[in-house]
Amino acid sequence: MTSATEFHPSGAPDYAVPPGETIREYLDELGMTQRELATRLGLSAKHLNRLVQGLVPLSHEIAQRLELVTGMPARLWNRLEADYQSALQRLRLEGELLEAVPWLDEIPVREPVARGILPEEPTDEISRVQQLLAAGL
C-alpha cells in the first residue's frame, strides 16, 4: 500500500493554508480582536471569522481593504488566496486519484513499463494512476 511519504511524491504538502492564517497572525501581533478588524474592514464579524477559517474565499475587494488596514499589498493577499485554492484543488484531485488506485489491479503495468510506454519511476500508486491516465491506457 501507499505510505505517507509516497502519497505526495512531488513534495507538495498534504494540507492547504487559508489566507485567514495570515490574518490570524496579524491579529495576534497587534493584539487585535476579529471584531475590531471586521469593523475596520467594513465586514461583519461572522464573515471575517469564516474568512479566517478558510470557509469563504478572500475576494479582491477584501484584499484591497486588507491592504489599507494591514499595509500588506493586495496582490499578496490575492496570491495567498490563489495558492490556497490551488492547494485545495490539488488535494481534491489526489483524493480522486487515491480512489482510482484499485484500478491498478486490473491493468498489467509491467508490460507498458517494459515497452517504455510508462516510466520505471516513480512507482507509488498515485503516480502510476497519473501515468496511466496521461498515457491513455
Side-chain angles (χ1 to χ4, degrees), residues 84-98:
Y84 175 60
Q85 293 300 327
S86 179
L88 286 178
Q89 182 58 36
R90 178 183 46 77
L91 292 170
R92 279 191 288 272
L93 178 59
E94 286 176 356
E96 291 172 13
L97 291 173
L98 191 57

